[in-house]
Amino acid sequence: MGLIESILTEHQIGRDSPEHTIRAHWPALVGAANASYSHAVRIERERKLVVHVAHAVVRNELFMHRAEIVERIQKLSGCGKIKEINLRAG
């Protein structure tokens, strides 16, 4: 693999990344109402999804259902490594 190809692969340029897949399916994963107050930001250490949540009630709702949400995320293509969700005020 050449240098340019390795850089494109490393930074997911021109390819679907797990973050893009999760963002595209976010309303289906958490519900439309919760999706309007939350945003999947990034994946840390290939296993933890960081989510910014703008409303305390939505944060609590996502926290209570985090195991179900992780299961739904793992069913998406390329997202099987996600094991937890980190909810942050944002």
Side-chain angles (χ1 to χ4, degrees), residues 9 19 32-33 37 57 71 75:
T9 302
E19 288 95 342
Y37 292 98
V57 173
E71 286 178 17
K75 292 178 183 176

Side-chain angles (χ1 to χ4, degrees), residues 3-24:
L3 177 62
I4 294 176
E5 184 63 29
S6 66
I7 291 171
L8 292 174
T9 302
E10 177 183 347
H11 296 286
Q12 299 293 325
I13 298 171
R15 293 162 174 79
D16 283 337
S17 69
E19 288 95 342
H20 293 139
T21 302
I22 292 168
R23 286 185 199 122

